[in-house]
Amino acid sequence: MSQTGTARTGTVTTEVPARLDRLPWSRWHWTIVIGLGTVWILDGLEVTLVGNVAGRLAEDGSGLAITGAQVTGLAAALYVAGACSGALFFGWLTDRYGRKKLFLITLAVYLAATALTALSTSAWWFFLFRFLTGFGIGGEYAAINSAIDELIPSKYRGRVDLIINGSFWLGAMAGALLSVVALDTDIFPKDVGWRLTFALGVLLGLVILLVRRSVPESPRWMFVHGREREAEELVAGVEREVERETGRPLPRPETSITVDQRHSVGFGTIAKTVFRSYPRRAVLGLSLFVGQAFLYNAITFGFASILITFFDVPSGATGYYFTVIALGNFLGPLLLGPLFDTVGRKPMIAGTYITSGLLLFATAWLFDTGRLDAVTMTACWCVVLFFASAGASSAYLTVSEIFPMETRAMAIAFFYAVGTAAGGISGPLMFAELTSSGVVGDTVLAFSVGAALMTAAGLVALFLAVKAEGRSLESIATPLSARAAEDAGGTTGAAASAATRGGPVAQA
């Protein structure tokens, strides 16, 4: 196999998945985390900046003829619509052409669109490039989550995935604090400060692009797509690096898998696999994404309006409050993440969803009865989102590990797009009106809708979540190519792998 990436197809038996899963944590894994996980920092920065500068953009002298409701409503909905579209488009390309090519392309799309957002002089320009920024970010979700789960050992997959997805809130904190400085008219004019916030996103993205170039292609994707020699060489190099770092030899891999290599999988096959072979998992994925999208939109897209309208917080000070909320969001996955690998997926997913939903109901009641001020409301949000953030991050983990490898990026894209479209497009349009009306009952309704759907999703997880902790991806969902090999008479494959790991070959 040449190093140019030319692929051929045939039947191949490989130990690559088992070799990756039995690796101890090393500097190489930190490279993966830093190179790929930082995209969520960008997304958090984007979403938070727009929410925090909404009030400033609506003021005279901002350089844009736009209202606050349009920023938090229409622009937010267009951003999410772009993310959904980008996830589907780039998700299909990711499964077809590889993880690395696409996570470089999607970041480039984000960079270009964000830079042009900063140059907006009219509302339509701002709306267009918010959509295209979301288009790039949505593609990142599909490409990055599939790559992370295929590169991280099964022992650590849950906590790493949750912490990486939770890093969204590091970007949110940065965006909140940055908005405080950018909105200070003693430092920057009204029509300059908000533009500089988007420019910072471009600079951060360029740094990430440089780091990401060193992240390899997924060996799991490579051996299925006829590049098994490159996959073997890549994994062998990682093993030598880990052995030098630890000073001891690695144990022998316990399993192998036989696959019929293929170049691509059609949409028909993907749909048939997801909905016919795994219908219960499909319901689970949709429930988790819809629940978390509505809960987050109920709070985050309207938080500034709530603080300003009901508690007389100055628009330039809302960033301080949101920094506290963002910290709670990041601490959730950071502190609860290890429990998803030890206590298990099912109790932790169900527990975090149901707990956050019930706590948001309690917050709505306290707000309705007039028992909260700006500080205590922020404290309530912080506690709610401590649990909700871990739950929301587990939605991405779930759909990336419970479907076959050949459909992984597209499955992530589909469930993200459908669930987020339901909660992320209709949510901002509905919640922007409710939270900016100045009527307490309207905001209580917004909170209650988000809380109800989050609680319902937790109940679904209680019955349908998959016990994926500590198991190889191939034992959780048999690769489509491995099934073909077994049907053709292969003697080793996913069935043997699943048996060794103690899990089923396929589970609806």
Side-chain angles (χ1 to χ4, degrees):
M1 183 66 56
S2 68
Q3 295 303 310
T4 61
T6 302
R8 58 181 175 80
T9 57
T11 299
V12 61
T13 299
T14 180
E15 296 177 332
V16 161
R19 291 164 67 187
L20 288 170
D21 279 338
R22 61 72 151 108
L23 291 174
W25 193 261
S26 67
R27 284 191 295 268
W28 183 77
H29 295 107
W30 280 116
T31 301
I32 305 301
V33 170
I34 294 170
L36 298 183
T38 40
V39 64
W40 278 261
I41 297 177
L42 289 178
D43 192 16
L45 184 71
E46 281 291 318
V47 173
T48 308
L49 283 177
V50 173
N52 279 284
V53 304
R56 177 55 47 81
L57 289 173
E59 295 176 1
D60 292 335
S62 70
L64 284 181
I66 196 169
T67 67
Q70 284 179 316
V71 177
T72 59
L74 180 57
L78 286 172
Y79 176 84
V80 175
C84 295
S85 303
L88 291 170
F89 178 70
F90 289 119
W92 175 72
L93 294 178
T94 297
D95 279 334
R96 186 178 182 89
Y97 295 109
R99 290 26 173 157
K100 181 166 185 173
K101 287 181 181 178
L102 271 297
F103 63 59
L104 293 175
I105 292 172
T106 53
L107 182 55
V109 171
Y110 161 82
L111 290 171
T114 301
L116 290 168
T117 299
L119 301 177
S120 298
T121 56
S122 62
W124 72 264
W125 182 282
F126 183 83
F127 294 146
L128 172 63
F129 288 103
R130 288 308 295 160
F131 175 85
L132 292 177
T133 300
F135 194 73
I137 286 292
E140 289 272 286
Y141 280 124
I144 300 303
N145 268 307
S146 54
I148 288 171
D149 282 358
E150 291 172 4
L151 291 168
I152 298 299
S154 57
K155 179 180 178 181
Y156 306 102
R157 189 173 61 239
R159 72 195 72 184
V160 170
D161 202 297
L162 258 72
I163 293 171
I164 285 177
N165 279 282
S167 68
F168 173 99
W169 296 101
L170 292 176
M173 283 189 281
L177 293 174
L178 178 63
S179 69
V180 172
V181 177
L183 296 178
D184 189 342
T185 53
D186 291 334
I187 302 176
F188 300 109
K190 285 185 177 181
D191 62 341
V192 173
W194 66 267
R195 300 180 191 277
L196 294 177
T197 62
F198 289 106
L200 179 66
V202 176
L203 291 175
L204 180 59
L206 288 172
V207 173
I208 294 172
L209 185 62
L210 293 175
V211 175
R212 188 173 288 181
R213 292 174 60 190
S214 63
V215 176
E217 180 58 86
S218 164
R220 282 178 157 102
W221 182 90
M222 291 165 72
F223 74 70
V224 167
H225 289 79
R227 295 168 56 184
E228 71 277 5
R229 184 176 299 174
E230 291 176 74
E232 294 285 343
E233 291 173 354
L234 172 60
V235 175
V238 175
E239 289 171 332
R240 289 192 295 269
E241 180 181 328
V242 171
E243 287 181 337
R244 284 196 300 268
E245 184 178 332
T246 62
R248 58 180 182 272
L250 292 167
R252 291 186 58 82
E254 298 179 354
T255 61
S256 64
I257 183 171
T258 299
V259 299
D260 279 344
Q261 297 168 320
R262 59 176 74 196
H263 288 300
S264 62
V265 177
F267 280 113
T269 301
I270 293 173
K272 178 181 177 182
T273 300
V274 171
F275 294 103
R276 186 178 297 179
S277 301
Y278 299 97
R280 291 161 59 89
R281 297 184 183 191
V283 171
L284 173 67
L286 287 173
S287 299
L288 295 181
F289 270 99
V290 170
Q292 62 90 22
F294 266 98
L295 180 138
Y296 270 95
N297 281 293
I299 295 176
T300 56
F301 276 113
F303 94 95
S305 296
I306 293 170
L307 292 175
I308 293 168
T309 303
F310 296 105
F311 303 116
D312 297 322
V313 174
S315 61
T318 58
Y320 292 116
Y321 293 88
F322 196 74
T323 300
V324 177
I325 296 172
L327 178 61
N329 272 284
F330 178 65
L331 290 177
L334 181 66
L335 299 178
L336 299 178
L339 300 179
F340 284 77
D341 285 322
T342 55
V343 174
R345 302 286 200 267
K346 179 176 289 190
M348 290 305 301
I349 295 171
T352 52
Y353 268 74
I354 293 172
T355 300
S356 60
L358 294 178
L359 287 171
L360 185 55
F361 273 127
T363 300
W365 177 77
L366 291 171
F367 178 69
D368 190 36
T369 55
R371 288 177 165 86
L372 299 177
D373 57 22
V375 173
T376 53
M377 171 65 92
T378 301
C380 287
W381 281 337
C382 190
V383 175
V384 169
L385 296 176
F386 174 85
F387 293 99
S389 182
S393 297
S394 73
Y396 294 93
L397 167 67
T398 297
V399 298
S400 68
E401 66 182 2
I402 63 175
F403 296 104
M405 180 175 61
E406 297 89 341
T407 69
R408 181 162 293 120
M410 196 61 206
I412 297 168
F414 173 79
F415 288 102
Y416 169 80
V418 174
T420 305
I425 296 177
S426 60
L429 294 174
M430 176 174 67
F431 294 137
E433 294 297 326
L434 291 175
T435 56
S436 62
S437 70
V439 178
V440 170
D442 288 346
T443 298
V444 171
L445 176 59
F447 287 170
S448 298
V449 170
L453 290 173
M454 194 71 170
T455 304
L459 293 174
V460 171
L462 193 61
F463 292 98
L464 300 184
V466 178
K467 295 180 180 180
E469 59 275 7
R471 294 171 57 191
S472 69
L473 294 171
E474 291 72 24
S475 73
I476 299 169
T478 308
L480 302 181
S481 49
R483 289 181 185 171
E486 290 169 29
D487 293 342
T491 57
T492 60
S497 178
T500 302
R501 297 282 183 179
V505 175
Q507 176 182 330

